[in-house]
Amino acid sequence: MDDKKTIFSGVQSSGFLTLGNYIGALKNWTKLQNDYNCLFCVVDMHSITVRQNPSELKRRTLEILKLYMASGIDAEKNILFIQSHVPAHAELAWVLGCNTYMGELSRMTQFKDKSARNDENINAGLFTYPVLMAADILLYNADLVPVGSDQKQHLELARDIAERFNGVYGNLFIVPEPYIGEVGAKIMSLQEPTKKMSKSDINPNGYIALLDDADTIVKKIKRAVTDSENEVAYREGKDGINNLLGIYSAVTDKTMGEAQTEFEGKGYGHFKAAVAEAVVECMRPMWQRYKELSDNNDYVEKIYTEGALKAAYLADGTLKKVYEKIGFVI
Ligand code: TRP
């Protein structure tokens, strides 16, 4: 082993990815791959806490894996894999579940939100979701976990579970830290710029899907909600413009200040056209690689098969130690 730290992160395969996921996750991950040992997982087991259409689930899982690669994550340098391919995730989740309290899980805001929104299917998996997430992380002794603010509470719980386990059975798990990267702009809905851009938005004009085509992107940005002024400036109260400036700066790698200066004295029409063009230019190489991967299923299969083997090797080592500690006959 080298002395690089380990990073683990995952995305659920319950929907398509948006520009928000690209800017908030994938783009940052590509910057981590040289300095850390990274495992990037498509967490299909988490996805089934909400009822999924089987063929859609399968398609989405592969779509996300290909988008990882298309956005520049090197499949040779990092471990890219599908969660359900490594049985140790479910196995460790059972053990950790026996070391997690109902009270802790009941306090998770995501569980409260999801069960309120989905009251006809409040299943046990939705409740124990954070335990499986803890297993994902602890199996690989991840030092750092890049997560959005909505996952901080889950990560906090993973830390508590790790510390509790270490306390009872002797040090085994690394207690993971959240990875706070450069503070990038949080990408908001194009239609309601005070809310996060979300793939579950019922209005598709609110989000840009990573696989939207260029015309759709131009149209969606043209329709983005702004304000009744006509000044491209980053200022409180100008949520729509602030969001478009944030998008522009993220996809062009310019600072907010540079972006703002560039559009001084320019109208909203001109600004929106420039943002749309910059987004399309940023996406274009990714679309090209995505297409190449989609034409080469054998290669994609090789990547996730080898990824699962490498992940399982590491995960099985941890699971064996856990089983030893708790007194299972191994
Ligand atoms: N719960 C995370 C989300 O919805 C996805 C996830 C599952 C994850 N396991 C993880 C993220 C482990 C980081 C590490 O975004």
Side-chain angles (χ1 to χ4, degrees):
M1 272 301 260
D2 50 37
D3 52 10
K4 284 183 187 169
K5 290 194 166 180
T6 299
I7 282 197
F8 184 99
S9 203
V11 170
Q12 287 197 57
S13 42
S14 44
F16 47 82
L17 298 186
T18 68
L19 185 64
N21 297 115
Y22 176 76
I23 293 173
L26 300 187
K27 187 165 182 280
N28 293 329
W29 294 0
T30 61
K31 296 186 191 150
L32 302 172
Q33 56 189 341
N34 295 321
D35 302 328
Y36 298 94
N37 292 320
C38 300
L39 296 111
F40 297 120
C41 183
V42 185
V43 292
D44 54 347
M45 289 161 69
H46 279 101
S47 304
I48 62 163
T49 52
V50 173
R51 183 76 47 80
Q52 302 290 330
N53 170 309
S55 58
E56 275 283 292
L57 177 65
K58 194 175 198 171
R59 199 174 59 73
R60 296 277 190 220
T61 300
L62 293 171
E63 184 175 295
I64 292 175
L65 191 96
K66 287 187 280 182
L67 282 170
Y68 283 1
M69 292 193 261
S71 58
I73 297 171
D74 186 335
E76 314 284 330
K77 267 197 218 150
N78 306 282
I79 302 182
L80 300 187
F81 72 108
I82 297 169
Q83 188 186 30
S84 61
H85 289 182
V86 181
H89 290 245
E91 294 168 312
L92 182 62
W94 174 255
V95 176
L96 298 182
C98 298
N99 288 276
T100 308
Y101 299 114
M102 298 288 286
E104 290 177 301
L105 293 173
S106 320
R107 281 194 291 278
M108 295 292 120
T109 54
Q110 193 169 75
F111 171 71
K112 290 193 246 178
D113 290 350
K114 282 194 183 171
S115 47
R117 268 189 277 129
N118 202 7
D119 61 358
E120 75 291 352
N121 184 15
I122 307 179
N123 60 72
L126 201 59
F127 190 64
T128 57
Y129 177 114
V131 177
L132 179 59
M133 178 162 162
D136 296 341
I137 300 166
L138 301 182
L139 272 178
Y140 302 99
N141 281 309
D143 301 282
L144 295 167
V145 183
V147 282
S149 49
D150 61 329
Q151 295 298 317
K152 289 248 170 74
Q153 199 187 24
H154 289 164
L155 188 59
E156 213 32 67
L157 179 65
R159 289 169 53 84
D160 291 345
I161 298 173
E163 279 168 357
R164 179 173 311 140
F165 192 95
N166 287 347
V168 176
Y169 298 104
N171 275 353
L172 194 152
F173 294 128
I174 290 194
V175 180
E177 304 272 347
Y179 177 85
I180 317 285
E182 301 155 42
V183 194
K186 184 167 166 198
I187 305 305
M188 311 305 267
S189 158
L190 298 177
Q191 291 297 315
E192 284 175 90
T194 49
K195 290 197 189 144
K196 187 175 142 184
M197 181 181 282
S198 163
K199 61 191 175 201
S200 33
D201 197 331
I202 34 169
N203 181 356
N205 285 321
Y207 56 78
I208 291 174
L210 283 188
L211 295 173
D212 272 350
D213 60 27
D215 288 348
T216 308
I217 293 179
V218 171
K219 267 191 220 128
K220 286 183 177 179
I221 292 184
K222 207 182 263 177
R223 289 188 193 132
V225 168
T226 52
D227 52 56
S228 55
E229 303 174 358
N230 200 17
E231 188 194 356
V232 182
Y234 188 87
R235 216 173 31 234
E236 206 184 322
K238 292 176 74 71
D239 299 313
I241 293 293
N242 295 348
N243 187 36
L244 291 175
L245 275 169
I247 292 175
Y248 185 79
S249 99
V251 297
T252 56
D253 279 322
K254 291 179 183 166
T255 65
M256 285 296 253
E258 285 165 354
Q260 190 170 315
T261 314
E262 210 175 316
F263 297 106
E264 235 165 72
K266 298 272 169 36
Y268 286 178
H270 172 95
F271 173 52
K272 284 180 165 180
V275 175
E277 191 185 315
V279 171
V280 169
E281 283 324 303
C282 172
M283 297 289 102
R284 228 183 260 293
M286 189 187 67
W287 293 334
Q288 176 62 30
R289 284 195 291 267
Y290 185 85
K291 189 180 170 305
E292 286 161 14
L293 292 166
S294 297
D295 291 340
N296 196 348
N297 287 327
D298 290 350
Y299 177 68
V300 175
E301 192 177 327
K302 173 174 166 285
I303 293 302
Y304 67 69
T305 310
E306 285 176 1
L309 280 174
K310 291 187 233 169
Y313 176 78
L314 299 170
D316 291 345
T318 305
L319 188 68
K320 188 159 173 251
K321 286 189 197 148
V322 169
Y323 280 5
E324 241 165 17
K325 292 261 189 204
I326 59 180
F328 284 176
V329 177
I330 51 166

